[in-house]
């Protein structure tokens, strides 16, 4: 079996699993309790509650414009996969008799969000989207001066305000908790436990730190030439320094910090989250 064939099979299995989780979240938690999520799913649930339309049909209809946008903003393969996934979710909601798990509002908001996040995250790893709100944000962000995150936040605020007016403030507040839980779960599913972190180290003991990073931790490093000093009491005094940058996983971060502290307790260390990284001397990570 070729590599592409194997990858496609894994993508399909991952997407189907995501669809099943989304269906479970919707029919087992959210729909029976009149709860909402953010994004396109939230719009679909809101329309379902206000007009009592079939949730499966609504999800397909609401996603169609975003799928068309996706064909132009991303690519046609992504749009086709997303269309199939959304139709699959509608069929799943129509034919699979998911039981209602609980009516406890806190459990619904938390676990409904967790299972929805698992489903959407797995679908993204499979190469498609079960919620087209980010495609809309990408399309809109090219025409106005807001970031994608700000656009998504604005759309979700409108959804939750309408829910608060039509269905009551408590439902809207619990739904915000659902959305937050789902978004955190999506991030965890996509990035995984090995989310990459960029680490910058400025130290007078940079030579020892470089040796430890490469020889003991097995990390690739990049060295910038800089100057340190420029203190208030002696601003004109400075000395050259190697600024060391490396990329580690979240699981390795504590070990790296301990290592640097042992070498130079006064070292200046700061970190930044890296959303995407490839190439170089990076540990391979499963990315479907």
């Amino acid at each position: 079996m070729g590599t592409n064939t194997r990858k496609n099979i894994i993508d399909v299995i991952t997407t189907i699993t995501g669809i099943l989780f989304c269906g479970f979240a919707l029919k087992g938690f959210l729909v029976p309790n009149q709860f909402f999520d953010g994004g396109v799913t939230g719009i679909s649930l809101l329309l379902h509650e206000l007009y009592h339309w079939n949730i499966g049909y609504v999800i397909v209809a609401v996603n169609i414009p975003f799928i068309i946008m996706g064909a132009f903003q991303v690519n046609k393969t992504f749009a086709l996969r997303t269309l199939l996934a959304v139709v699959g979710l509608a069929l799943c909601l129509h034919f699979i008799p998911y039981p209602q798990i609980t009516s406890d509002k806190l459990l619904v908001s938390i676990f409904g969000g967790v299972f929805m996040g698992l489903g959407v995250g797995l679908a993204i790893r499979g190469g498609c989207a079960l919620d087209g709100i980010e495609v809309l944000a990408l399309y809109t962000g090219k025409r106005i001066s807001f970031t994608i995150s700000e656009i998504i936040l604005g759309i979700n605020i409108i959804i939750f305000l309408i829910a608060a007016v039509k269905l009551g403030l408590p439902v809207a507040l619990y739904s915000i908790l659902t959305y937050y839980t789902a978004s955190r779960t999506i991030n965890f599913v996509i990035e995984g436990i090995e989310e990459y972190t960029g680490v910058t180290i400025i130290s007078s003991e940079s030579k020892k730190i470089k040796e430890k990073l490469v020889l003991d931790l097995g990390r690739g490093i990049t060295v910038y030439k800089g100057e340190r000093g420029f203190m208030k009491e002696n601003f004109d005094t400075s000395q050259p320094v190697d600024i060391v940058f490396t990329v580690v996983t979240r699981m390795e971060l504590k070990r790296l910090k301990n290592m640097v502290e042992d070498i130079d307790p006064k070292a200046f260390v700061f970190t930044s989250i890296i959303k995407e990284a490839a190439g170089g001397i990076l540990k391979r990570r499963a990315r479907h």
Side-chain angles (χ1 to χ4, degrees):
M1 184 183 297
T3 302
N4 288 336
T5 302
R6 187 182 299 109
K7 182 181 181 302
N8 288 333
I9 291 174
I10 294 174
D11 286 346
V12 169
I13 293 173
T14 303
T15 302
I16 291 174
T17 305
I19 290 170
L20 294 174
F21 272 123
C22 280
F24 180 58
L26 288 168
K27 293 193 73 175
F29 293 92
L30 303 182
V31 174
N33 295 284
Q34 296 184 316
F35 272 40
F36 298 89
D37 189 14
V40 176
T41 304
I43 296 172
S44 303
L45 289 167
L46 187 60
L47 291 173
H48 168 73
E49 290 300 330
L50 294 178
Y51 301 105
H52 306 292
W53 295 334
N54 183 288
I55 185 62
Y57 298 151
V58 174
I59 285 178
V60 173
V62 173
N63 270 287
I64 288 296
F66 304 106
I67 292 171
I68 295 172
M69 285 184 193
F72 293 98
Q73 296 297 315
V74 187
N75 57 57
K76 292 181 180 179
T77 300
F78 168 81
L80 178 59
R81 288 186 175 189
T82 298
L83 175 62
L84 294 174
V86 170
V87 171
L89 177 58
L91 294 173
C92 179
L93 293 171
H94 187 74
F95 290 107
I96 297 180
Y98 290 108
Q100 180 179 346
I101 304 302
T102 180
S103 296
D104 184 281
K105 294 185 183 300
L106 186 59
L107 292 177
V108 170
S109 60
I110 293 175
F111 287 97
V114 167
F115 286 112
M116 178 60 69
L118 281 172
V120 173
L122 288 171
I124 292 173
R125 291 192 71 123
C128 61
L130 287 174
D131 192 305
I133 197 69
E134 291 193 3
V135 176
L136 174 63
L138 181 65
Y139 176 81
T140 310
K142 294 181 177 180
R143 289 158 177 79
I144 59 178
S145 59
F146 292 102
T147 66
I148 290 177
S149 297
E150 290 170 340
I151 295 167
I152 293 174
L153 177 62
I155 294 169
N156 287 327
I157 287 173
I158 294 172
I159 294 171
F160 292 127
L161 284 176
I162 295 173
V165 171
K166 296 292 185 180
L167 299 167
L169 185 59
V171 171
L173 293 176
Y174 276 116
S175 298
I176 291 173
L177 180 57
T178 301
Y179 170 71
Y180 176 78
T181 308
S183 63
R184 299 308 301 169
T185 305
I186 290 170
N187 289 340
F188 182 80
V189 171
I190 294 174
E191 298 298 335
I193 198 169
E194 291 193 329
E195 182 180 58
Y196 287 126
T197 302
V199 184
T200 302
I201 306 163
I202 303 174
S203 168
S204 59
E205 301 291 340
S206 58
K207 182 177 180 180
K208 293 180 181 178
I209 291 173
K210 288 186 287 186
E211 289 177 355
K212 284 285 188 180
L213 286 173
V214 175
L215 301 179
D216 289 0
L217 290 185
R219 310 311 303 172
I221 62 173
T222 299
V223 179
Y224 301 97
K225 300 297 182 180
E227 289 183 85
R228 64 195 302 264
F230 304 104
M231 305 299 289
K232 185 176 182 180
E233 58 274 11
N234 51 356
F235 180 77
D236 293 329
T237 303
S238 65
Q239 57 271 356
V241 65
D242 285 346
I243 302 171
V244 183
F245 177 80
T246 188
V247 177
V248 297
T249 65
R250 186 164 45 186
M251 299 294 287
E252 297 170 315
L253 184 58
K254 182 64 176 176
R255 182 185 173 193
L256 183 148
K257 286 183 175 180
N258 290 340
M259 181 206 74
V260 173
E261 187 173 0
D262 289 341
I263 296 173
D264 181 8
K266 295 183 178 180
F268 179 57
V269 181
F270 65 92
T271 64
S272 56
I273 300 301
I274 295 177
K275 290 298 183 182
E276 292 290 339
I281 308 176
L282 288 175
K283 290 185 177 179
R284 291 185 62 84
R285 175 172 66 171
R287 295 288 289 180
H288 304 313

